[in-house]
Amino acid sequence: MQKLDYPNPAFIREATETVNDGWEICLDGATWQDIRVPFCPESKLSGVGYTDFIPHCTYRKTLTVQKTDKRIVLHFGAVDYRCELYCNGRYIGGHVGGFTPFAFDITDFAADGDNRLTLEVFDNEQRKCPTGKQSHKCKSFGCFYTRTTGIWQDVWIEYVPQHFVKAVYCTPHVDRASMTVDVLASACGAARVDVTYEGRTVGTWSGQVEYRRAVEIELTETHLWEVGCGALYDVTVTFERDTVYAYFGLREVGYRGLDFVLNGKPVYQKLVLDQGYYPDGIMTAPSVKHMENDIRLGLELGFNGARLHQKVFDPRYLYLCDKAGYMVWGEFPSWGVDYSDLGFLGRFLAEWQEAMLRDCNHPSIVAWCPLNEVWGTWEDGKEKRDVRFVDAVYAFTKSLDPSRPCIDVSGGHHGHATDCFDFHCYADDRELKPYLDALDRSATLDVPRLYCEGENLRYAVGLPTHLSECGGFGLLDKSDAAVETANEGAAENEKSWGYGTGAKDGDAFVARYAALIQTIDACKTLHGFCYTQLYDVEQEENGFYRYDRTDKLTQTQKSGIRKINDEFRRK
């Protein structure tokens, strides 16, 4: 079984059929035209390439099914933002949330043979719902990019028995060399779980499941999931006449003192920011090979993981990280939400829960990061966030998955509780050094924009600290006529930009990177950093690579970056 042939390698049912072909789209009452799914209509790869606002659009497709004694379940990987599904003119159901999967049982609505599917999509709720890095202006600007509307991840059908497996959650226990499998089923019945490693059976269980049951299975072989070594166990769950396939990695993560620990051993997180954008597909990778390439680029520069920023990534991307032993943060595209109004909390948590439940089996996810830079409303500095929003999101995350650390907010501003005190600082090495010296000397932080006025919150001494955004040095192509200026993140400016004064050439860029990393290396309190960023995204030209992933640096210069990262913490 080739896991990458399935839309979600972490939950596979062999009776799966991808239905990306044959879709048409109508943009807000205009004429019908063909669209290549799963690419959004704003993208070139969709064949549409319409980049203005799309408050409403309609998809349609002729779906041919063969009715048997099995149920027909239609899955959508992600549709931005709100949608309603109809089959042969009859309403089936709807979903709210632009980044998470959902499914409908269409058995009772579909006829044997051809059926007309219609998907109505509404995407006119800007700035009140999670949008991530999608621009709320007509054009891209600052660190906001081309919008994504409608279907942007795979669509597929599963044929399932009347009684079937709904979900499988795996929790590893390194100290006991075991794993707990939590099976959710649609009914009561007999079940069996087989755990294998490279084809060898290493654990089994059989018994009754009454809708849900969690059991711990001892493993006869111990193979730890570690950095650079993505050891994976396969899990086969049989319930009545249904069989699904999952997998897990035997690893535990957390903090011990100021250190991040993997399987009980300190590991320094050397991360690079990966935003998951592509020139022709926007938030959708053109192919699995493009996903593989992004991970390869990070590894070749000497990073041991990535912060997957402001987006819920394709499950196949996460599977590739799992295989590579590549640590990542499971982040949510939290920008766009009105944090000053608790009325939006329920909507946020509903979609965040869907993201966590989809991805919790991935061993590569070593931390949850639900929020990024939560201070209030972007355009209105007077509208401050409600700290209870942040506190509730952290508490919810920990209750849903206590096995991973949770960074309540990446960057400014934190709430009352977090597992890691995380901050952003785009200063160069000379400006950053006083902050890090103070952190080492007195365990205090006073980085600009770290605290919300009036809340009287401060860094709790003894908490692990992580610098999850730094650098961002502009390395602009010589053909660009842009003025190289500092950018706080939202100000509309020239054609292209990076943080601080741009490097004149590749050698200067490497030298500046070396000075930054040496300054970070000297700080003993930090347990990790994340450099912004792996590749350029549209007008934001502060990556190691161009937007199309071609080289900005020579091979010698890239080797220099790799050497700097490899020598980190070796003194």
Side-chain angles (χ1 to χ4, degrees):
M1 176 184 299
Q2 299 296 318
K3 289 184 173 65
L4 289 170
D5 292 337
Y6 294 84
N8 186 1
F11 188 84
I12 292 173
R13 186 174 275 113
E14 288 187 331
T16 297
E17 176 187 341
T18 303
V19 289
N20 288 334
D21 296 334
W23 289 89
E24 296 178 288
I25 192 171
C26 176
L27 302 178
D28 205 19
T31 58
W32 288 97
Q33 57 185 312
D34 293 338
I35 184 169
R36 186 184 174 199
V37 167
F39 301 103
C40 69
E42 290 89 347
S43 70
K44 296 177 182 177
L45 287 174
S46 70
V48 179
Y50 182 81
T51 58
D52 206 338
F53 289 106
I54 306 175
H56 169 248
C57 63
T58 305
Y59 289 81
R60 70 182 183 187
K61 170 185 171 61
T62 299
L63 180 68
T64 303
V65 299
Q66 183 177 2
K67 299 201 73 172
T68 64
D69 61 342
K70 292 189 174 183
R71 310 297 296 181
I72 306 169
V73 182
L74 180 63
H75 292 259
F76 292 85
V79 177
D80 195 331
Y81 172 71
R82 180 170 61 88
C83 65
E84 298 171 354
L85 180 67
Y86 298 81
C87 182
N88 299 322
R90 298 170 62 191
Y91 175 74
I92 295 178
H95 181 260
V96 177
F99 294 86
T100 50
F102 58 95
F104 298 111
D105 186 332
I106 65 171
T107 310
D108 298 334
F109 301 86
D112 190 46
D114 291 346
N115 297 269
R116 172 64 70 186
L117 282 184
T118 304
L119 185 73
E120 299 285 354
V121 176
F122 306 91
D123 195 20
N124 57 354
E125 303 180 45
Q126 292 282 333
R127 294 170 38 219
K128 298 297 182 183
C129 60
T131 55
K133 290 298 195 78
Q134 300 180 67
S135 176
H136 54 267
K137 298 183 180 181
C138 186
K139 302 293 184 180
S140 300
F141 71 101
C143 52
F144 291 93
Y145 320 126
T146 304
R147 287 173 297 282
T148 290
T149 302
I151 300 171
W152 66 276
Q153 288 191 21
D154 286 309
V155 186
W156 70 99
I157 280 181
E158 287 182 337
Y159 294 92
V160 303
Q162 296 297 322
H163 297 165
F164 58 94
V165 179
K166 298 174 69 175
V168 176
Y169 303 120
C170 301
T171 303
H173 311 290
V174 170
D175 57 340
R176 301 194 295 271
S178 67
M179 60 85 71
T180 295
V181 58
D182 188 3
V183 179
L184 280 68
S186 65
C188 304
R192 179 182 175 90
V193 179
D194 292 284
V195 183
T196 61
Y197 185 84
E198 295 183 347
R200 302 183 300 275
T201 298
V202 297
T204 61
W205 172 86
S206 60
Q208 291 292 120
V209 172
E210 296 184 0
Y211 295 101
R212 183 169 192 168
R213 185 169 181 179
V215 295
E216 186 171 351
I217 301 174
E218 293 184 3
L219 304 172
T220 60
E221 295 184 17
T222 301
H223 305 277
L224 295 181
W225 189 95
E226 298 177 303
V227 173
C229 179
L232 300 177
Y233 292 80
D234 290 306
V235 180
T236 302
V237 178
T238 303
F239 175 75
E240 296 291 310
R241 296 169 56 197
D242 191 24
T243 300
V244 298
Y245 304 91
Y247 68 86
F248 71 96
L250 186 60
R251 67 101 183 93
E252 290 180 343
V253 293
Y255 294 110
R256 186 175 61 208
L258 298 178
D259 293 327
F260 170 79
V261 291
L262 172 64
N263 303 327
K265 298 178 181 179
V267 173
Y268 200 97
Q269 295 184 38
K270 297 180 290 185
L271 310 182
V272 65
L273 197 77
D274 184 346
Q275 305 207 61
Y277 272 73
Y278 302 86
D280 294 336
I282 307 179
M283 286 201 300
T284 308
S287 70
V288 169
K289 288 186 177 180
H290 287 77
M291 303 180 199
E292 291 177 312
N293 184 57
D294 285 350
I295 297 168
R296 179 186 63 81
L297 294 179
L299 288 169
E300 288 183 351
L301 289 175
F303 295 101
N304 58 18
R307 181 178 166 209
L308 305 183
H309 187 47
Q310 284 295 289
K311 175 187 166 185
V312 178
F313 276 57
D314 189 298
R316 288 166 297 189
Y317 195 105
L318 295 174
Y319 170 63
L320 292 167
C321 293
D322 295 337
K323 285 182 60 180
Y326 193 63
M327 298 183 295
V328 299
W329 287 13
E331 190 169 332
F332 193 69
S334 60
W335 277 6
V337 175
D338 184 351
Y339 306 109
S340 68
D341 188 346
L342 293 182
F344 294 104
L345 179 61
R347 177 189 294 184
F348 181 94
L349 292 179
E351 193 173 359
W352 175 229
Q353 176 180 254
E354 290 175 336
M356 289 183 65
L357 292 178
R358 192 201 75 173
D359 292 343
C360 62
N361 284 349
H362 292 286
S364 60
I365 297 180
V366 298
W368 295 117
C369 184
L371 298 167
N372 180 69
E373 296 181 346
V374 177
W375 54 76
T377 302
W378 189 275
E379 296 86 359
D380 186 359
K382 297 179 181 179
E383 195 169 308
K384 298 295 185 182
R385 61 90 180 260
D386 188 328
V387 71
R388 293 174 297 177
F389 196 114
V390 178
D391 292 343
V393 172
Y394 171 80
F396 178 86
T397 303
K398 294 299 289 186
S399 67
L400 197 61
D401 181 11
S403 72
R404 287 178 174 87
C406 174
I407 296 92
D408 67 330
V409 180
S410 179
H413 307 287
H414 286 277
H416 289 88
T418 183
D419 295 334
C420 168
F421 199 89
D422 180 87
F423 66 104
H424 300 171
C425 187
Y426 282 109
D428 64 19
D429 59 292
R430 292 166 297 178
E431 295 175 277
L432 178 62
K433 189 176 186 302
Y435 299 130
L436 300 187
D437 286 347
L439 183 62
D440 270 346
R441 183 174 59 252
S442 57
T444 60
L445 273 170
D446 196 20
V447 180
R449 302 186 75 178
L450 189 58
Y451 308 106
C452 240
E453 294 179 4
E455 291 179 353
N456 199 30
L457 295 175
R458 285 296 181 269
Y459 166 68
V461 175
L463 269 178
T465 54
H466 189 109
L467 175 55
S468 72
E469 287 187 28
C470 63
F473 306 134
L475 179 57
L476 311 180
D477 284 337
K478 293 180 180 179
S479 60
D480 286 330
V483 177
E484 302 165 20
T485 61
N487 185 293
E488 288 297 323
E492 191 162 12
N493 67 60
E494 292 76 14
K495 177 181 176 183
S496 54
W497 64 273
Y499 290 96
T501 304
K504 295 180 179 180
D505 54 39
D507 289 339
F509 178 88
V510 174
R512 182 172 294 180
Y513 182 79
L516 175 70
I517 298 306
Q518 288 165 7
T519 300
I520 293 172
D521 196 2
C523 179
K524 303 307 178 186
T525 305
L526 287 176
H527 74 263
F529 71 85
C530 179
Y531 183 86
T532 303
Q533 61 184 325
L534 184 58
Y535 46 82
D536 300 340
V537 180
E538 298 191 0
Q539 68 278 357
E540 191 173 343
E541 294 195 15
N542 51 13
F544 292 103
Y545 297 89
R546 297 186 183 92
Y547 194 16
D548 63 2
R549 280 47 163 189
T550 55
D551 287 332
K552 296 165 88 173
L553 301 172
T554 66
Q555 186 58 51
T556 299
Q557 291 162 350
K558 288 189 295 182
S559 297
I561 298 293
R562 174 64 183 258
K563 183 178 180 182
I564 293 165
N565 287 335
D566 286 347
E567 291 180 349
F568 189 87
R569 287 293 159 102
R570 287 192 175 179
K571 297 178 182 178

